[in-house]
């Protein structure tokens, strides 16, 4: 391959443009009229800090790279050596198979099988579909094995509004519960709490200036359309990261050193929180032969 993310697949619809990578089936770019709404990176580089990657069959970390399935301990590959954890699943550095590529949509597929610590095979598909002001991402996961398995799905996009500094943006989350991470382990082992009266209460919107987060938010309140809406805004522009009900968690990460950008904000839709393979929290349990599907998306709105 010419670069670590493989072939680059471009989608266009009107003034909107997106780029999806062959390796990891990640989202490398999303822009409208040349204005970027997603942090990007050079295709010759690996995605910095997981930028745009698909997190499957679990998001975030599995503690000590170990979990138990039907009474048997499973040992995953240690992919975060500094802490001894397995992080962000099994597919983000693997080549996905292209099934269909149209002007404004793409579908890719991968089999998760014969992996250390993963006992039941899965087949995953992802479809990116572009509209004039919106990108929809649809995940489909099928259990191709002979027994039930629990799994999770997540995504790791970093968002922006043009060239505005991250600290000038306002973040609104419909979350009433939070799991702060512990600084050393980077796992959400601090006691889960209600956000009311804390710095984590973002239900009414709050400036990102001074907020340092690597934090899982849950108990998301659906809007009238049944979806969750995580909003990044400035002036008359709102970037709406919407999710289907199964994406009941969102991780917000504000690193100070994203390559080429400095301070950035990841808004990560997740079906379960970190270490869910051990806790069982909100895992999607899929029987042999069953298929699950869920979507999330990015909608850019401008107020006149």
């Amino acid at each position: 391959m010419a670069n670590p993310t493989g072939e680059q697949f471009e989608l266009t619809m009107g003034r909107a443009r997106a780029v999806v990578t062959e390796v990891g089936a990640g989202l490398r770019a999303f822009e409208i009229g040349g204005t970027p709404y997603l942090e990007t990176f050079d295709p010759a580089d690996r995605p910095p800090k997981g930028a745009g990657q698909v997190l499957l069959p679990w998001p975030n970390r599995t503690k000590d790279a170990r979990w138990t399935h039907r009474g048997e301990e499973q040992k995953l590959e240690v992919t975060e050596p500094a802490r001894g954890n397995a992080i962000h699943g099994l597919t983000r550095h693997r080549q996905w198979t292209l099934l269909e590529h149209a002007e404004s949509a793409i579908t890719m597929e991968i089999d998760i099988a014969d992996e250390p610590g993963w006992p039941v095979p899965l087949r995953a598909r992802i479809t990116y579909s572009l509209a004039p002001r919106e990108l929809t991402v649809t995940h489909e996961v099928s259990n191709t094995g002979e027994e039930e398995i629990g799994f999770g799905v997540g995504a790791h996009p970093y968002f922006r509004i043009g060239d505005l500094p991250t600290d000038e943006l306002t973040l609104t989350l419909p979350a009433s519960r939070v799991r702060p991470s512990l600084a050393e382990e980077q796992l959400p082992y601090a006691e889960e709490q209600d956000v009311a009266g804390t710095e984590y209460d973002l239900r009414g919107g709050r400036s990102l200036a001074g907020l340092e987060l690597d934090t899982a938010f849950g108990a998301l309140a659906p809007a009238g359309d049944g979806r969750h809406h995580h909003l990044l805004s400035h002036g008359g522009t709102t970037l709406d990261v919407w999710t289907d009900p199964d994406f009941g968690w969102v991780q917000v990460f504000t690193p100070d050193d994203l390559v080429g950008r400095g301070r950035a904000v990841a808004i990560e839709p997740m079906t379960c929180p970190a270490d869910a393979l051990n806790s069982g929290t909100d895992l999607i349990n899929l029987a042999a032969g069953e298929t699950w599907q869920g979507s999330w998306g990015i909608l850019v709105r401008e107020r006149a």
Side-chain angles (χ1 to χ4, degrees):
M1 290 183 190
N3 56 66
T5 52
E7 188 172 352
Q8 310 293 297
F9 299 107
E10 185 176 73
L11 308 179
T12 59
M13 170 58 75
R15 300 172 68 240
R17 173 181 176 270
V19 177
V20 176
T21 65
E22 178 184 23
V23 173
L27 182 62
R28 194 174 68 80
F30 173 61
E31 59 187 47
I32 300 174
T35 299
Y37 293 96
L38 187 83
E39 300 291 0
T40 189
F41 54 92
D42 193 288
D45 298 331
R46 288 169 67 95
K49 297 186 182 296
Q53 292 187 317
V54 177
L55 317 179
L56 178 75
W58 73 86
N60 214 292
R61 294 162 173 86
T62 297
K63 183 174 174 58
D64 298 329
R66 295 170 183 258
W67 66 292
T68 300
H69 175 70
R70 294 200 166 189
E72 294 186 9
E73 185 178 65
Q74 306 294 323
K75 297 181 181 180
L76 297 160
E77 180 183 357
V78 175
T79 49
E80 190 184 40
R83 297 186 177 92
N85 300 318
I87 187 169
H88 290 335
L90 301 170
T91 70
R92 61 193 184 121
H93 298 304
R94 287 183 54 196
Q95 183 175 346
W96 288 55
T97 299
L98 176 65
L99 298 182
E100 184 178 0
H101 183 200
E103 180 180 4
S104 60
I106 187 171
T107 299
M108 307 173 77
E109 182 179 84
I110 195 168
D111 285 314
I112 303 170
D114 301 320
E115 297 278 357
W118 193 259
V120 179
L122 300 174
R123 177 168 295 155
R125 287 188 179 184
I126 188 168
T127 297
Y128 293 90
S129 182
L130 191 62
R133 302 196 67 82
E134 184 173 19
L135 179 70
T136 299
V137 187
T138 299
H139 299 268
E140 183 178 287
V141 180
S142 299
N143 182 342
T144 57
E146 298 180 354
E147 58 183 301
E148 183 176 273
I149 186 75
F151 71 95
V153 180
H156 207 300
Y158 291 85
F159 293 108
R160 64 193 295 177
I161 296 179
D163 293 325
L164 291 168
T166 294
D167 284 348
E168 292 184 13
L169 307 180
T170 295
L171 178 62
T172 305
L173 301 179
S176 61
R177 303 287 290 176
V178 65
R179 289 186 177 185
S181 63
L182 296 176
E184 289 300 318
E185 294 186 356
Q186 293 293 297
L187 284 165
Y189 287 155
E191 184 177 354
E192 185 173 311
Q193 59 183 276
D194 193 295
V195 300
T198 75
E199 65 174 335
Y200 301 112
D201 192 347
L202 306 179
R203 291 172 293 185
R206 181 171 173 181
S207 169
L208 283 169
L211 273 182
E212 296 185 6
L213 300 171
D214 190 358
T215 306
F217 293 84
L220 305 179
D225 60 2
R227 292 171 167 172
H228 309 127
H229 294 269
H230 313 302
L231 309 179
L232 196 63
S233 59
H234 183 276
T237 301
T238 298
L239 189 154
D240 180 349
V241 183
W242 60 263
T243 74
D244 280 353
D246 279 351
F247 289 87
W249 295 82
V250 62
Q251 185 89 10
V252 180
F253 179 36
T254 55
D256 288 330
D257 58 346
L258 193 70
V259 176
R261 175 67 167 171
R263 186 159 161 81
V265 57
I267 303 172
E268 308 169 37
M270 305 188 304
T271 61
C272 59
D275 208 31
L277 293 182
N278 283 305
S279 70
T281 302
D282 289 339
L283 285 179
I284 299 167
N285 292 303
L286 205 59
E290 285 188 342
T291 295
W292 168 88
Q293 187 178 92
S295 298
W296 63 277
I298 313 163
L299 173 64
V300 178
R301 300 195 300 267
E302 297 281 357
R303 187 176 68 242

